[in-house]
Amino acid sequence: MLSNLLVQLINGIALGSTYALIALGYTMVYGIILLINFAHGEIFMAGAFVGLMLVTVFKVHIIFAFLGAMLFCMIMGVIIEKIAYKPLRRSTRLAALISAIGVSIFLSNLANLVFGAKPTTFPPTEEILFKIQTYELIAGAQITNLQILTIVTSAVLMVCLQYFIKKSRIGKAMRATSQDYDTAALMGVNVNRIISYTFAIGSSLAAAGGVLVGIYFGVVKYNMGFMVGLKAFTAAVLGGIGSIPGAMFGGLLLGIGEMLAVALGLSSYRDAIAFGILILVLLIKPTGLFGTQIQKKV
Amino acid sequence: MLVVENVDVNYGAIRALVDVSLEVHEGEIVALIGANGAGKSTTLRSISGLVKPNKGRILFEGSELQKCPPHKVVEMGISQVPEGRRVFPLMTVLENLEMGAFTRKDRANIKDDIDKVFAKFPRLEERKKQPAGTLSGGEQQMLAIGRALMSKPKIMLMDEPSMGLAPMLVQEIFNIVKEINQSGTTILLVEQNARMALAVANRGYVLETGQVVISGAAADLAKNEAVQKAYLGV
Ligand SMILES: Nc1ncnc2c1ncn2[C@@H]1O[C@H](COP(=O)(O)OP(=O)(O)OP(=O)(O)O)[C@@H](O)[C@H]1O
Ligand SMILES: [Mg+2]
């Protein structure tokens, strides 16, 4: 029992770290333009497909496929913002939200058209990475090298992001813009450019998550963005939407919660449990665990 | 130096400014006074590029501002201390000051200028690592002024810097306004505290429901009967 729990805990951390990567995009975009970017899950899906194509069709090394997917989605995210959200910046928030849902439906249908409705398999890990090995930890717990890779890659990306946001000039401008949009403009910040940076970073992290999930589960599918997108969004709300540490923490917590449900024999209810957590958080603490109440004038 | 020419600003159906014209010459302190909702903040926001005039021109040193985005306006040498201070609450005092210097190319000198702001406002230095949201109202106002100074503006637009402060602090803020002006920065000062504003200003404009109704030398305005009745409580 204990060993099963520990195994699922580690699975949960691996899964949760990918949720966290994706949740960051939701939270960063929301923090700046108060939009729930419903198309973000599809960017994650696109990242997975681009990574897969680069490995299988273009025979690129997995590291370059990973970076290529991030670059592709970075550009894709910026273009989506320019086409679908920027023209609606002065409209109601609902209009932008509907536009985001539209982009989401468009992208998953486009992927369906291009790649078909059947799941596409990722090449086996031993061909693109390494042979899966399992290491024994204490008390019967186990971790695979693939899990280590997933967790470490996510952690490195998140540490880089945190450093960028805290220390760099652009990072500071992003924080200023998310705290007070007009006043950031009064400081000389080109807020349109900051919005583009935000989409670029959030989308490339989603792509990273996409490739990691693709390798981890071995399959990618046109509609994979929907459920993972919802989960990552839940993670962002759980941590407090708009809060970057909140998204990281929320992702991990959700991943662990889901896998512990599996450990307790409730595996067919894992999605219900994830969304049950969302409803509970919204009821008890709508600002989330790390949420702050700052007055916003946009 | 700064010329606002026949500017109209509408917010939807609301006409916030109607044919407003005013001028600020280099080296001056110009006061813009008026009741709540008269359009004072809207005037400053249109100069800074946060709202676009429906009509009219805004000229700064001869170039047109009314189509410039806000960040370009800052680069030209216009900074604003916005109404209600608007410090970045979750950023530290130091980071707020750094944001003020965002447009500057001479990054090496920024540190020195932060020290100059600290010399002017020692309370800020003691709190430099603290999130700005935890400062008192007076400290936040000083931070907002220090932050606006960090861009080395030619002209500073100040929107009700004395709002909500205790009488002693109000006096201090007006002294600081004078000091900043004496060290070479032109100032357009929006105030509800008309008495104090006219005491430090060279000239003044009175705004009523979006229109300039009286203008002239500050000393004359302070003696004007209509102004005294409406704004000085005489
Ligand atoms: N964003 C906005 N949308 C709609 N109407 C607005 C907006 N901002 C200001 N107004 C209206 O424009 C008019 C002028 O407002 P403004 O804020 O410029 O006044 P003010 O002179 O600065 O007042 P106060 O002394 O209270 O700050 C008011 O009638 C106000 O209600
Ligand atoms: Mg005002």
Side-chain angles (χ1 to χ4, degrees):
Chain A
M1 180 67 202
L2 176 69
S3 73
N4 186 26
L5 220 59
L6 285 175
V7 166
Q8 295 302 355
L9 179 70
I10 287 166
N11 287 342
I13 293 172
L15 180 67
S17 61
T18 61
Y19 286 162
L21 278 183
I22 305 159
L24 284 166
Y26 281 107
T27 228
M28 289 171 69
V29 165
Y30 186 86
I32 298 226
I33 55 172
L34 300 182
L35 167 75
I36 294 162
N37 180 13
F38 259 96
H40 193 60
E42 275 62 44
I43 294 177
F44 154 83
M45 174 271 292
F49 271 109
V50 171
L52 177 65
M53 289 296 114
L54 286 174
V55 170
T56 54
V57 179
F58 297 94
K59 310 284 179 213
V60 172
H61 189 278
I62 186 69
I63 290 180
F64 295 109
F66 183 78
L67 295 175
M70 285 179 79
L71 183 68
F72 182 92
C73 289
M74 180 181 275
I75 296 166
M76 181 175 157
V78 172
I79 293 174
I80 289 174
E81 192 273 328
K82 291 261 186 278
I83 294 176
Y85 308 147
K86 194 176 173 199
L88 295 171
R89 192 105 31 90
R90 292 186 190 280
S91 319
T92 59
R93 283 167 66 185
L94 189 61
L97 189 66
I98 292 169
S99 183
I101 295 172
V103 174
S104 158
I105 294 172
F106 171 78
L107 290 174
S108 64
N109 279 280
L110 184 68
N112 189 350
L113 201 67
V114 176
F115 301 104
K118 283 216 291 284
T120 319
T121 50
F122 236 85
T125 39
E126 57 261 35
E127 277 173 33
I128 52 171
L129 263 175
F130 41 55
K131 213 163 146 13
I132 299 282
Q133 287 190 336
T134 305
Y135 306 103
E136 294 290 330
L137 302 174
I138 37 139
Q142 299 170 339
I143 192 164
T144 66
N145 47 1
L146 184 57
Q147 285 177 324
I148 294 174
L149 183 78
T150 305
I151 295 167
V152 169
T153 310
S154 308
V156 167
L157 286 171
M158 288 191 270
V159 168
C160 291
L161 175 74
Q162 192 68 340
Y163 188 81
F164 177 80
I165 298 280
K166 275 261 174 287
K167 298 285 178 204
S168 76
R169 197 173 111 87
I170 305 288
K172 284 175 192 167
M174 288 171 95
R175 278 190 287 148
T177 308
S178 83
Q179 287 168 40
D180 193 330
Y181 191 94
D182 277 353
T183 306
L186 286 179
M187 299 298 111
V189 173
N190 181 347
V191 285
N192 281 325
R193 188 170 303 164
I194 291 301
I195 291 170
S196 291
Y197 279 121
T198 306
F199 274 86
I201 294 172
S203 304
S204 63
L205 292 176
V211 178
L212 289 174
V213 166
I215 300 173
Y216 193 77
F217 292 106
V219 285
V220 296
K221 200 174 168 207
Y222 77 100
N223 65 355
M224 69 192 279
F226 179 72
M227 189 50 88
V228 174
L230 275 183
K231 296 272 179 66
F233 170 66
T234 303
V237 173
L238 181 60
I241 190 135
S243 157
I244 288 176
M248 299 178 185
F249 190 76
L252 279 180
L253 209 62
L254 194 69
I256 293 170
E258 235 184 284
M259 294 322 267
L260 287 185
V262 173
L264 297 174
L266 301 169
S267 62
S268 36
Y269 297 104
R270 53 190 276 195
D271 294 342
I273 285 170
F275 297 123
I277 294 176
L278 174 66
I279 293 169
L280 267 185
V281 172
L282 289 176
L283 286 175
I284 298 166
K285 197 165 182 298
T287 53
L289 301 171
F290 286 64
T292 45
Q293 288 277 19
I294 46 174
Q295 284 208 337
K296 277 207 137 153
K297 297 186 191 165
V298 173
Chain B
M1 182 182 215
L2 178 71
V3 184
V4 175
E5 230 175 57
N6 311 107
V7 162
D8 277 14
V9 172
N10 302 341
Y11 294 109
I14 298 167
R15 304 188 70 189
L17 296 183
V18 183
D19 204 37
V20 167
S21 295
L22 59 86
E23 240 176 274
V24 184
H25 305 132
E26 189 158 4
E28 280 189 316
I29 299 182
V30 172
L32 184 59
I33 59 180
N36 289 113
K40 305 179 298 294
S41 300
T42 303
T43 306
L44 297 193
R45 289 169 66 80
S46 64
I47 297 168
S48 283
L50 288 174
V51 294
K52 299 288 167 230
N54 299 72
K55 195 196 101 208
R57 298 200 304 165
I58 300 169
L59 298 164
F60 181 64
E61 296 182 325
S63 33
E64 294 200 356
L65 287 187
Q66 72 272 11
K67 293 200 178 69
C68 284
H71 64 274
K72 291 279 178 223
V73 175
V74 183
E75 281 168 22
M76 293 171 81
I78 301 178
S79 74
Q80 186 179 146
V81 182
E83 182 173 3
R85 332 185 209 294
R86 306 283 285 264
V87 295
F88 300 110
L90 304 178
M91 298 175 84
T92 65
V93 168
L94 202 58
E95 286 172 334
N96 267 272
L97 293 175
E98 286 169 2
M99 283 313 298
F102 191 78
T103 54
R104 278 173 58 177
K105 306 277 181 278
D106 58 330
R107 306 242 175 103
N109 302 328
I110 290 175
K111 180 99 212 353
D112 282 349
D113 288 322
I114 288 179
D115 287 339
K116 278 183 202 149
V117 171
F118 284 154
K120 205 187 257 322
F121 306 114
R123 305 262 294 260
L124 294 184
E125 180 159 30
E126 293 162 26
R127 292 163 174 72
K128 66 181 173 190
K129 295 258 156 65
Q130 207 168 306
T134 64
L135 300 181
S136 74
E139 289 159 357
Q140 289 190 8
Q141 188 63 62
M142 298 187 182
L143 179 57
I145 295 173
R147 185 179 66 178
L149 282 172
M150 286 303 297
S151 68
K152 295 208 158 179
K154 295 174 188 161
I155 182 168
M156 195 145 120
L157 316 175
M158 305 181 83
D159 199 343
E160 303 199 33
S162 75
M163 187 172 68
L165 301 183
M168 268 208 8
L169 264 179
V170 170
Q171 185 58 55
E172 198 179 329
I173 293 284
F174 279 97
N175 290 342
I176 289 162
V177 170
K178 264 193 284 188
E179 261 177 53
I180 292 172
N181 178 249
Q182 274 155 14
S183 53
T185 310
T186 308
I187 289 173
L188 177 55
L189 175 65
V190 160
E191 263 299 339
Q192 294 232 16
N193 189 335
R195 184 187 308 280
M196 297 286 265
L198 290 175
V200 297
N202 306 98
R203 291 186 307 113
Y205 292 83
V206 179
L207 212 52
E208 244 168 49
T209 56
Q211 286 174 292
V212 175
V213 288
I214 316 170
S215 63
D220 294 342
L221 287 185
K223 279 182 254 153
N224 180 304
E225 224 172 284
V227 175
Q228 288 190 338
K229 251 213 191 96
Y231 304 104
L232 301 175
V234 177

